[in-house]
């Protein structure tokens, strides 16, 4: 690796110079002389056999090659900085990976409750609709999987969802038009098929409009643009706030399930055990109708 670069200091000096577009400013950050910065940049250019900067009378600018290298340095050196900072400090936060809609509609509304329950262990939400490999992503303490009822080893079943019809309170669609019905249809992928929503209602009775995420459907419902089909798990906070109400025009039906998986390297830590217990209890209370 990096056989062409004799010193990572050259890349660091280049990255800072590229950020400020100034050798003088970079020298101040690095606590070395502007001449030393210039020499390191020149050495790097010599090794790469190309110019990274255009030198002007009172300024510098990046060449196309310099711009490419600056972008790579910004990405990877920042990752290294974060990793080094993490290794230097005891990890006290709790990081959970979950899909974007669950992060936005379930976890975020409970941020205050979670902070009060775990004041010394701030929750770090890593929202993504991609699968997380806990054997590789060692910074993730636990992952929430949303999917079918096939249990994977070491997973904990949190609960099942029901998909129901919701509307804004006092919402009345125009009688001379078909009501708008918003549904979620995420982009097709190999991980999880869309729930077959359309088999549970007569599409000819609605103007069906789709969004790729549930939180868009919720926004459309709350702003009175029409009805929407939502998971009862994700609709909970909006119902509690009085922003939406159920509608019995469409019979609620079973959706997918939520499963909790913990990082094997961290699952025995006290904070992780306590948070997983709290999460399990929160779902149990929801199923029993307490929240």
């Amino acid at each position: 690796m990096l056989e062409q670069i004799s010193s990572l200091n050259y890349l660091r000096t280049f990255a800072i110079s590229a950020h400020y577009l100034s050798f003088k400013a970079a020298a101040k950050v690095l606590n070395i002389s502007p001449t030393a910065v210039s020499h390191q940049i020149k050495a790097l250019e010599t090794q790469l056999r190309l110019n990274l900067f255009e030198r002007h009378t009172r300024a510098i600018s990046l060449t196309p090659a310099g711009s490419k290298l600056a972008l790579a340095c910004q990405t990877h050196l920042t990752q290294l900085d974060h990793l080094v900072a993490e290794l230097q400090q005891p990890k006290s936060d709790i990081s959970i990976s979950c899909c974007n809609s669950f992060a936005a509609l379930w976890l975020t509304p409970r941020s205050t409750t979670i902070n009060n329950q775990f004041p010394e262990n701030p929750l770090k939400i890593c929202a993504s609709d991609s699968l997380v490999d806990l054997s590789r992503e060692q910074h993730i303490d636990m992952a929430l999987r949303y999917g079918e009822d096939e249990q994977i080893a070491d997973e904990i079943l949190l609960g099942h969802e029901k998909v129901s019809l919701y509307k804004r309170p006092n919402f009345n669609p125009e009688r001379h038009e078909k009501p708008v019905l918003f549904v979620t249809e995420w982009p097709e992928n190999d991980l999880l098929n869309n729930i077959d929503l359309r088999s549970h209602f007569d599409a000819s009775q609605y103007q069906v409009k789709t969004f790729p995420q549930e939180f868009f459907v919720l926004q459309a419902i709350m702003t009175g643009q029409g009805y929407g089909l939502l998971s009862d798990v994700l609709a909970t906070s909006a119902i509690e706030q009085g922003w939406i109400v159920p509608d019995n025009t469409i019979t609620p039906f079973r959706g997918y399930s939520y499963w909790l998986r913990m990082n094997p390297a961290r699952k025995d830590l006290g904070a992780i055990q306590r948070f997983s217990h709290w999460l399990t209890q929160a779902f149990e209370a929801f199923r029993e109708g307490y929240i």
Side-chain angles (χ1 to χ4, degrees):
M1 294 177 61
L2 296 176
E3 288 86 354
Q4 292 112 332
I5 309 300
S6 62
S7 173
L8 284 177
N9 282 334
Y10 292 173
L11 287 176
R12 182 166 176 260
T13 300
F14 163 75
I16 295 172
S17 300
H19 176 76
Y20 290 102
L21 287 178
S22 167
F23 292 165
K24 185 176 181 180
K28 187 174 182 180
V29 171
L30 294 167
N31 197 29
I32 58 178
S33 70
T35 301
V37 170
S38 181
H39 285 167
Q40 288 187 29
I41 297 296
K42 193 63 181 175
L44 181 60
E45 290 177 321
T46 299
Q47 291 178 19
L48 297 178
R49 297 181 182 179
L50 49 80
N51 290 328
L52 300 172
F53 291 101
E54 295 284 355
R55 275 80 166 173
H56 309 291
T57 304
R58 299 196 174 196
I60 57 173
S61 61
L62 287 165
T63 64
S67 296
K68 289 181 180 180
L69 183 59
L71 180 60
C73 285
Q74 180 183 9
T75 300
H76 297 294
L77 291 179
T78 298
Q79 289 177 346
L80 282 172
D81 280 343
H82 290 166
L83 176 59
V84 170
E86 181 179 322
L87 294 174
Q88 287 177 332
Q89 304 177 33
K91 178 175 164 57
S92 61
D93 60 22
I94 300 171
S95 57
I96 181 169
S97 172
C98 60
C99 62
N100 287 294
S101 288
F102 187 84
L105 302 182
W106 200 93
L107 276 176
T108 301
R110 291 165 174 77
S111 294
T112 299
T113 299
I114 294 171
N115 289 338
N116 290 338
Q117 289 281 332
F118 303 92
E120 297 180 359
N121 307 104
L123 183 65
K124 182 179 179 182
I125 302 173
C126 305
S128 172
D129 291 328
S130 300
L131 271 181
V132 172
D133 184 349
L134 292 179
S135 66
R136 294 177 179 270
E137 305 289 343
Q138 288 299 315
H139 64 288
I140 301 293
D141 297 314
M142 59 183 68
L144 205 70
R145 182 175 69 85
Y146 173 69
E148 299 174 347
D149 288 344
E150 182 180 353
Q151 185 171 10
I152 299 174
D154 298 327
E155 285 187 340
I156 300 170
L157 174 63
L158 293 177
H160 312 290
E161 68 177 357
K162 280 188 177 180
V163 180
S164 301
L165 186 69
Y166 296 94
K167 65 180 181 180
R168 187 172 74 171
N170 303 318
F171 171 72
N172 290 305
E174 297 290 339
R175 292 188 177 181
H176 61 280
E177 295 181 353
K178 291 182 182 179
V180 177
L181 175 61
F182 294 97
V183 300
T184 304
E185 290 184 357
W186 53 77
E188 293 295 334
N189 61 73
D190 296 331
L191 301 177
L192 187 65
N193 293 323
N194 276 288
I195 297 172
D196 185 13
L197 302 175
R198 294 171 190 263
S199 65
H200 296 276
F201 64 89
D202 184 355
S204 68
Q205 300 299 309
Y206 298 94
Q207 301 178 59
V208 181
K209 297 187 177 181
T210 64
F211 283 119
Q213 293 284 356
E214 285 88 346
F215 46 77
F216 296 133
V217 173
L218 177 59
Q219 288 295 320
I221 301 170
M222 292 193 304
T223 52
Q225 298 179 54
Y227 296 98
L229 284 172
L230 278 176
S231 162
D232 59 350
V233 174
L234 302 181
T236 305
S237 295
I239 293 173
E240 291 174 347
Q241 296 297 324
W243 297 333
I244 64 173
V245 294
D247 186 284
N248 61 6
T249 306
I250 296 175
T251 303
F253 53 92
R254 177 77 169 264
Y256 283 141
S257 303
Y258 289 91
W259 303 84
L260 180 64
R261 183 187 302 178
M262 289 185 283
N263 191 320
R266 297 181 56 78
K267 67 179 183 179
D268 295 326
L269 297 180
I272 308 305
Q273 287 285 326
R274 288 191 297 273
F275 185 79
S276 64
H277 179 66
W278 176 87
L279 193 59
T280 303
Q281 284 191 319
F283 267 81
E284 288 177 354
F286 168 72
R287 289 199 301 271
E288 294 170 5
Y290 296 139
I291 62 172

